[in-house]
Every structure is written in structure tokens, then in C-alpha cells.
Amino acid sequence: MSEIDLKRFFLEQVRLFENFPADKVEEIVIKSRLATYEGNEAILETGDEGRFIGIMISGHAEISMTDNTGTRAVITQLGTGDVFGVMSLLTGDRIVADVIAGNRCFVLMIPQDVFNTHILTNPKAVGYLSRLLAERTRAMSVDLVTAQANAIVRSRDPYALSLQTNEPGKVVVLNVGISQIHFGIYNTEESGADVHGIIDHADQQVTRITVKVGTQQRSVDHAPFKLSDLFNVIRDTTALLGEAFTFHPEDVSAIGHRVVHGGNKFSSSVVITPAVIADIEELSVFAPLHNPVNVAGIRVALKQFPNVPQVAVFDTAFHQTLAPYAYLYGLPYDLYKQHGIRRYGFHGTSHRYVSLKSAEVLKRPLGELEIISCHLGIGASLCAIDHGRSIDTTMGMTPSDGLIMPSRSGSIDPAVMIHLMEKHHMSPEQLSTLINSESGLKGISGISSDIHEIEAAAADGHHRALLAHKAYCYQVRKNIGAYVAAMGGIDVLAFTGDVGETSATVRSLACQGLGYMGIKLDEEKNRNIGSVDNFAIISADDSPVTILVVANDDERLVAWETLRSIERNALLLAAKPEEAPIPVEISAHHAHLSQADVDKLFGPGHQLTPMHELSQPGQFACEEQVHLVGPKGRIAKVRVLGPTRKETQVEIAMTEQFKLGIQPPIRQSGDLAGTPGVTLEGPYGSSVIERGVVCAQRHIHMTPEDAMRFHVRDNYVVRVRIEGERQLIFGDVVVRVNPAFRLAMHIDTDEGNAGNIQTGMLGYIEEIQSRH
């Protein structure tokens, strides 16, 4: 079929294009690909990543899906002019149904970039696709949540952890430190050919450079050089690995920079602008040894590659979801409000990757898992990850806090520092050297900061080595127990970092005695895993908790974050958020009841009585009210919202936790695993629910049509600017997409009161934080 025939076909038979001018259709056809499929051949399969929409030119096919019993059900038949593959592109989820050719089919494959720029910009096409999505969602044989879980199980890369992209190029990663520069060069077309380098300039007389790819490694001594010559040095030293691995500036498609401290300002990696650089420099007060040299590396790279997108990836960003009670120190509150003194946490990129990898290994959605990530390396930190969100971590305002580390002290009595200044006359510089370079394993053992040298000495009976090793492992085990308590359970315990990956003894002692928590290590698996290329499972076969070892590659993780940040930024720019305000609504405490609880509270067979409609279609406030009774107190006259649900859920504000005496987590509606219960009282009787009380995560309701306008998808997390008496920015706002929704952002009464925000104000999406 010629391009002219294709254009005529689309204009006459494809409803999606009935409002497109002929030249626009021709442009779409030219930029798309014609594919042929034989009968019974899969065009799309459950678990695949959505990269295009398809339009049937000839032949017939069917969309079908398999439920949990293995029963296959047909959702719809596809014939000439029909469109498929829409849901995955709009929601961002893996494909949830199979598209199977019934006979020979000719299909036009329209790639995602063409779809975004040529189709989503047409309002009538957007409306048509939104209606089509709603129809197919209603026709599904299983609910969408179950379908998405099935897709994750069948997907090869459900969380897009690979670095492969549609565009060829090299992603360069720079981690510019005080005495070392680490770099990585990653090919977006081919995995396994990653180049790693370490430039060690601690010795002022000579610079030691090591480069490696796979098992090949080269080292060379180099004269000290200025940072402005960095890329020339990288080119010359990578040439030692051969022409195939030599750094060529013209190949660079993106550059990622590791930045230690992002403070309260940055909750995700960001494309670098002059304003971003200024913010990083201002945050140097929290990381005076790191942020300034990070910025120096950024400036050199911007000068060398002014037209290449560059991204700052912050160690602290992942932990911006910590609640105030988890990040505040017991200091006067003004020190936090005025000077930002609080717990920030570090190793965020590593902890985030570990959580995604854990979900991939278990073939379960990240949003239903409770994970403890143990990053044990030169620095060491634990992180409690509850349903995809960091809720606590051991490091504090700086990376010196928390666990005993190879050469850092970890947490100590702050009065010790005062004592050392007063009684031993130590200066701030001497104290910094003491707690960061002379403490930890090195300080206790008096031997080394290397865990393997400590273990060798301990095996020979060295008393202080034994003591150092035991103290190190005890701290890890103690904090694992603390984080199980913080989350109310655990599904995955993961180890990463140099120590976490290479010391079977540390892993064994960290897990010892935790069997009653469901943490059961298989000692033979643990001892015999050898070098970890990707991941290894070391838990016993009957262990309720999966214990993993996850290979860590800091530079690769920065490359991964860099690519994701550039994609998010492109989506945000395309959406023109300033032109699309979102109405803000304050959501007071309320209860959603199951019919069984309606019967208990208001009498058998009672039906909820609508009082007035809510902003979301089909939702209504009821005449009925209930009282909430907790271990400490009660909240009277809580409004019931209808219609009834499968399971009772109560949503309260943070300040109301104290009244009841319970501590519910921040969760999305319906995510009730591990939540506390409460007693509900009604005029007829009472009901005790074992779970179901949450503090609702701030969120935006959208239709698929809205999501297309904003260039976001279901479960994206965004930052929203709300303009009122004083401009406020709310982070960690989850996007919820459903054909039945109406556009509105919901925050609770605490958040509204704190910011003097009222229903009817307008918000604007300022940043896409993550694309879960």
C-alpha cells in the first residue's frame, strides 16, 4: 500500500483521524512503521512495555486477557481502522492484555514520540481515545489492579531498569569528590560494554587512574591536572582499553552528576539550569566538603558540552517522603524552620534501585511491598521502604550519622563533641576528621577500615577486630528490627554495597536471631553466592521474608536516573503546565463503609442516604455519621461517604492520630495492608475493624483526557505549586487516573490549615518527581 493510499485510508476509515488535516496524517504515516503479522501471532503481549499504538489496516485480531485461574477472556475484536495499545501509553503501566492476530494483519505502528507530538495535541483525538479507554476498561474480565499485577509478573523489565533507549548515544556519569573522581560511560544501545574509571588525586605528586570494562582493567600514573582537562584525561585513559571503548565527545547524549545534598529543595533528580546550580551552592552549608566540588564538575561539563542535557542526581532526594516525626531532631523547632536542620538521609539512588529490583525479583507490585534496604559500603545506611516510599533512614543531616561505618563513627552522644572540644581542645576541623576518617571499624579495631582485613584479624583472635566486627553487625541487626517495627512488617531484606555484597559473615550476623520476624537465612546459599552480577536470593526456602543481595553500581544508577529525569522534563515542557490549572479541594476526615459494617452500625439492610454529591462523579456525602474510638480517645460525628466499598476505610489527618492513639501510615486510598484498625460506633451498634485507618497521601484525580493534557500517567508522583497569600509547593503528590474521575487535587485539613489553603484555589504541576 503506497503512502497516498494509506493517507486516504486513514482519512476515510479511521475515526481517530477524522478531524486531522491531510498533511498531518501524511506526516504521521511517514514517521510510522508498517508491520505484518500472521494468524495466531502475538502483536502485543501482556507485560510488554508500551512503545507504540497500532492501527489495523487489514485483517482482524482480538484483545484478550487471562485471569488468575488461567481462563482467557476476549475483551474486544479488532478490525479495519481499529486502534490498540492505547492504555499502556496513557497509563505508563505494562501492557495488561494480549493482542493476537486472527489472520494475516497489516498494522501501522505509530511510535510514542509521534503519538505524543501529533495525536495528543489534537483535542478531538484525545476525547476519542479517552472514551475508547473507558469502554475497554469496563470490558475487562478482571479489575485493572489485578491486570497490572499480572503484567508485572510476565514482564521482563517491569520497572524499566535497563539503560537502553530508542536513541543511540553514550550517557556519561561524573561523581566528582574531594580526593577521587569516579566516572562511568554507558551505551544506550548495548549493555555489557560499560566503562568505569577512578581518578585518584589524593597524592599531590601523582594522580593514579584506573579504567576498566568487563574483566579488562588498565592503570596508569598521570601528572596532576586541572579539572578543566578532565574530559581530555578521560579520552586518553579510556583509549588504553582499545578503540571500541575510547571516549569520544561527539557520542555523548546525556551527562549525569552525582550531587550529595539536595536539602528540602530537591525531591528528585533534575535537569540542570543556572537556578539549580545556585541552589546546590546554597546547600553547601550542609555538605561543605562535597557540594562545592560537585558544582565544579558540573561547570566543567557544561562548558565542554553546552548543548547536551545534564542532570543533577541527589543522594537525599528519595528520602523527601519522610514524615516530619521521622526527620525532625529533638532540637528547637525554629532551627528546622529557619535553618533546615533535620534528618535528610543519603544513598537515596541506591535504596530506590534496590526497592525496584526487589519488586522485579519477587514479581510483585512495588506498591504492596515493605522493604528494608541495607547499603553497606564506604558509607552505610539502612532505609525502610513502605509501599515504594522511604519512611525512615539511618543517616541524618550529613552522611556521618547512623550506623557504625568503615571509618565514620555513626551516631554518638552529641555531648561527646562538646567534651572533646572543652577537655581535649579539639577544633571543628579535627572533630570532622575524627568522626569521618578515624572512627568506625578503623577506630575501634585500630587495624583498618576494610571489612575483610577486620574479618581476617578477627579469625586470628584479634580482640579489637572482633569487637569492631560485632559492634558493626549489631548496629545493622538492631536497625533492621527497628524498621520492621516502623513499617509493621517486612517482605524483603536486601543487602547492597561493597560490604553488603561481599561479606557473608556480616549478612549472617545481621540476620541472626530474626527468625521470629520471618527473616530466615540459608547459610549455605549465603556462603556460596560468590560475585553478584545482578542479584542473588539467600533466604531459606520456607522464609516468609525474601533476603536478597543486589549488585550495586553507583554510576550506573546515576545514568538511569539521568535518563528518567530527561524524559520527565520533556513531558513537563510538552504539557505547558502554566496553561493548565488544577482546582484544589480540602478533604476532611471521613469513612468509607462496607455493606457488612453499614448493617452493624445502622441496622440490617440499611442503605446509605445521599446528602449531597461530591466533586468526584458517583461519590456522595451521606446523612450517616459514625464515631471513631481508639486506644486513647474518640472523634465524634465523622461523615460517611458513599457508595459502599468492599472493605471499610477511614481517612484521618495527622493531628487526629494523637486523639485516637494510633499511628496510621500515609497511603493511597485502598492500600490498607499493615494499617491499624479502630472501633466505629453507630446508632444501631459498633464494628471493630482490624485494619483500614490511613492518612491519605495527597493526590490528584484525573481522567485519561486530563492525563494526556498534562503528559502524566497513573501513579506518577508530582510537585504542585499552589498560589495563595503565599506560594507553596507540595511534593509527593500522586496522580490517579480513571475515566470516572474529575480533575481535582485533594489535600487534608492539616495541610490546608498549615498553608492557609481553601477549596477552590488553583495548583500547577511544577515537576514530575517519579514515574512509578
Side-chain angles (χ1 to χ4, degrees):
M1 185 178 287
S2 68
E3 288 181 3
I4 294 175
D5 292 334
L6 276 174
K7 181 172 69 174
R8 186 182 300 115
F9 167 80
F10 284 122
L11 288 170
E12 294 175 356
Q13 299 191 50
V14 180
R15 285 189 59 197
L16 177 62
F17 294 114
E18 60 186 7
N19 294 293
F20 280 69
D23 60 339
K24 179 65 73 173
V25 172
E26 184 175 5
E27 186 177 357
I28 292 171
V29 169
I30 290 171
K31 293 181 177 180
S32 303
R33 177 175 65 88
L34 189 62
T36 306
Y37 297 90
E38 300 299 330
N40 294 321
E41 186 177 357
I43 303 174
L44 291 177
E45 291 186 279
T46 300
D48 288 348
E49 183 181 358
R51 296 184 179 276
F52 60 83
I53 66 166
I55 297 179
M56 299 289 293
I57 296 172
S58 65
H60 64 86
E62 67 179 25
I63 302 177
S64 60
M65 63 193 316
T66 304
D67 64 19
N68 291 333
T69 67
T71 303
R72 179 171 291 276
V74 176
I75 297 173
T76 190
Q77 300 285 343
L78 298 173
T80 300
D82 284 336
V83 180
F84 62 89
V86 177
M87 183 179 293
S88 181
L89 285 194
L90 297 186
T91 64
D93 292 314
R94 295 285 157 163
I95 290 167
V96 299
D98 300 320
V99 181
I100 308 296
N103 59 0
R104 176 174 288 186
C105 296
F106 290 94
V107 180
L108 188 75
M109 303 295 198
I110 302 176
Q112 184 166 10
D113 58 339
V114 178
F115 176 75
N116 290 341
T117 57
H118 291 71
I119 297 176
L120 291 188
T121 52
N122 184 298
K124 291 188 176 180
V126 167
Y128 169 74
L129 291 175
S130 181
R131 292 190 296 274
L132 182 69
L133 178 60
E135 291 171 4
R136 290 185 181 165
T137 301
R138 285 193 292 269
M140 285 183 174
S141 58
V142 298
D143 64 87
L144 190 56
V145 173
T146 301
Q148 290 166 349
N150 291 340
I152 287 173
V153 169
R154 295 176 59 176
S155 173
R156 290 181 293 274
D157 185 18
Y159 295 103
L161 296 179
S162 74
L163 297 180
Q164 294 185 355
T165 67
N166 294 328
E167 299 295 328
K170 300 287 181 68
V171 180
V172 175
V173 171
L174 293 180
N175 178 4
V176 179
I178 305 165
S179 59
Q180 289 187 336
I181 299 172
H182 291 247
F183 66 87
I185 304 170
Y186 301 87
N187 192 330
T188 60
E189 282 187 301
E190 177 186 357
S191 59
D194 308 332
V195 177
H196 296 264
I198 300 176
I199 301 172
D200 190 329
H201 52 86
D203 187 334
Q204 296 183 357
Q205 304 303 315
V206 64
T207 298
R208 185 73 172 172
I209 305 175
T210 301
V211 290
K212 63 179 180 179
V213 57
T215 58
Q216 185 185 174
Q217 179 171 307
R218 298 286 185 273
S219 296
V220 63
D221 287 339
H222 193 285
F225 61 90
K226 295 180 180 179
L227 192 58
S228 57
D229 291 329
L230 174 63
F231 290 101
N232 290 332
V233 172
I234 292 176
R235 180 197 61 213
D236 294 343
T237 52
T238 54
L240 300 173
L241 299 171
E243 176 57 31
F245 306 110
T246 301
F247 170 70
H248 296 291
E250 61 271 18
D251 295 337
V252 177
S253 57
I255 300 177
H257 300 265
R258 183 189 180 196
V259 179
V260 167
H261 219 300
N264 289 326
K265 180 71 177 180
F266 298 102
S267 55
S268 62
S269 54
V270 294
V271 173
I272 293 171
T273 64
V276 169
I277 294 175
D279 286 333
I280 296 172
E281 289 180 321
E282 186 175 337
L283 290 164
S284 293
V285 65
F286 296 127
L289 300 180
H290 299 92
N291 276 29
V293 292
N294 297 156
V295 169
I298 289 171
R299 293 191 185 281
V300 166
L302 286 172
K303 185 174 181 180
Q304 184 77 24
F305 299 93
N307 299 317
V308 172
Q310 304 196 31
V311 171
V313 179
F314 299 93
D315 275 14
T316 53
F318 182 61
H319 305 298
Q320 285 298 294
T321 52
L322 265 63
Y325 59 77
Y327 67 63
L328 283 176
Y329 290 121
L331 294 169
Y333 189 70
D334 284 349
L335 288 174
Y336 158 64
K337 290 300 292 181
Q338 296 178 20
H339 304 290
I341 296 176
R342 50 157 285 191
R343 180 181 305 280
Y344 290 101
F346 297 86
H347 295 138
T349 305
S350 175
H351 291 307
R352 183 181 178 213
Y353 176 80
V354 164
S355 69
L356 294 170
K357 192 67 182 177
S358 298
E360 180 185 270
V361 171
L362 267 65
K363 296 187 180 298
R364 289 175 60 187
L366 177 63
E368 67 179 36
L369 294 176
E370 289 165 331
I371 301 166
I372 296 177
S373 170
C374 306
H375 181 110
L376 308 177
I378 295 174
S381 69
L382 266 63
C383 182
I385 305 167
D386 185 5
H387 293 214
R389 303 170 72 248
S390 170
I391 66 160
D392 208 343
T393 188
T394 52
M395 282 183 169
M397 189 179 82
T398 75
S400 302
D401 194 12
L403 306 173
I404 289 174
M405 302 175 224
S407 64
R408 298 177 195 161
S409 65
S411 298
I412 56 174
D413 180 346
V416 170
M417 307 298 281
I418 299 172
H419 174 82
L420 291 173
M421 286 189 290
E422 291 182 345
K423 303 299 183 183
H424 298 267
H425 310 294
M426 295 184 73
S427 67
E429 291 77 15
Q430 289 173 316
L431 288 173
S432 178
T433 299
L434 175 71
I435 64 172
N436 288 305
S437 303
E438 302 298 329
S439 297
L441 290 173
K442 181 180 179 181
I444 297 174
S445 71
I447 297 174
S448 170
S449 62
D450 187 295
I451 190 68
H452 301 295
E453 292 182 20
I454 297 290
E455 289 178 346
D460 290 338
H462 191 289
H463 170 68
R464 285 174 59 185
L466 280 165
L467 183 60
H469 195 274
K470 186 165 186 175
Y472 180 91
C473 296
Y474 171 74
Q475 292 253 330
V476 176
R477 185 172 77 253
K478 179 178 71 172
N479 281 277
I480 289 171
Y483 285 172
V484 173
M487 294 189 292
I490 178 175
D491 297 296
V492 180
L493 174 63
F495 294 91
T496 192
D498 290 341
V499 177
E501 293 171 45
T502 62
S503 176
T505 305
V506 166
R507 295 191 298 263
S508 176
L509 292 175
C511 296
Q512 210 165 91
L514 301 183
Y516 71 98
M517 293 181 175
I519 299 171
K520 298 181 181 180
L521 186 73
D522 185 311
E523 291 290 357
E524 186 174 354
K525 290 180 185 176
N526 181 46
R527 287 192 303 270
N528 298 324
I529 62 170
S531 178
V532 180
D533 292 329
N534 194 347
F535 73 92
I537 298 175
I538 57 173
S539 45
D541 293 341
D542 64 343
S543 176
V545 175
T546 301
I547 307 173
L548 295 175
V549 180
V550 178
N552 182 58
D553 180 346
D554 286 334
E555 281 71 50
R556 186 182 183 281
L557 301 185
V558 173
W560 176 69
E561 284 276 12
T562 297
L563 293 174
R564 302 291 85 79
S565 182
I566 291 170
E567 290 171 357
R568 294 195 303 266
N569 190 62
L571 290 171
L572 189 66
L573 292 175
K576 300 178 181 178
E578 290 294 339
E579 301 175 8
I582 299 169
V584 178
E585 298 176 352
I586 308 298
S587 179
H589 58 215
H590 58 270
H592 301 276
L593 301 179
S594 67
Q595 185 58 48
D597 282 329
V598 170
D599 293 344
K600 292 178 183 178
L601 297 166
F602 300 99
H606 183 87
Q607 298 298 306
L608 294 176
T609 309
M611 183 173 67
H612 62 78
E613 291 186 354
L614 299 175
S615 63
Q616 295 307 310
Q619 305 288 309
F620 54 89
C622 303
E623 297 284 355
E624 290 80 3
Q625 294 178 321
V626 296
H627 307 310
L628 307 180
V629 182
K632 180 177 180 293
R634 60 193 283 122
I635 300 174
K637 296 182 179 181
V638 173
R639 183 71 58 188
V640 175
L641 304 187
T644 56
R645 293 192 174 186
K646 293 180 181 178
E647 184 174 359
T648 293
Q649 174 178 312
V650 177
E651 297 182 24
I652 63 175
M654 283 279 191
T655 53
E656 295 171 321
Q657 297 181 21
F658 185 75
K659 292 180 182 179
L660 292 175
I662 58 176
Q663 291 188 325
I666 298 172
R667 291 278 181 83
Q668 292 189 40
S669 179
D671 184 3
L672 306 182
T675 57
V678 73
T679 299
L680 293 87
E681 292 181 346
Y684 181 81
S686 64
S687 176
V688 178
I689 59 172
E690 297 299 323
R691 69 175 196 173
V693 184
V694 300
C695 291
Q697 184 175 356
R698 56 184 79 108
H699 56 279
I700 303 173
H701 292 285
M702 292 187 184
T703 65
E705 190 169 350
D706 293 323
M708 285 186 265
R709 285 193 297 115
F710 287 105
H711 289 245
V712 296
R713 301 177 185 178
D714 191 45
N715 276 324
Y716 274 26
V717 179
V718 298
R719 286 164 62 91
V720 177
R721 184 183 76 255
I722 298 178
E723 296 184 345
E725 292 182 8
R726 58 191 179 100
Q727 181 174 289
L728 292 174
I729 295 177
F730 286 93
D732 199 29
V733 183
V734 67
V735 173
R736 304 301 306 270
V737 179
N738 190 290
F741 288 161
R742 184 185 71 80
L743 183 64
M745 174 178 169
H746 284 179
I747 59 176
D748 68 24
T749 49
D750 283 357
E751 294 165 330
N753 292 337
N756 198 20
I757 296 169
Q758 299 175 352
T759 293
M761 288 184 170
L762 299 178
Y764 299 85
I765 294 178
E766 185 167 85
E767 178 188 336
I768 299 172
Q769 287 178 228
S770 64
R771 303 168 65 196
H772 287 169

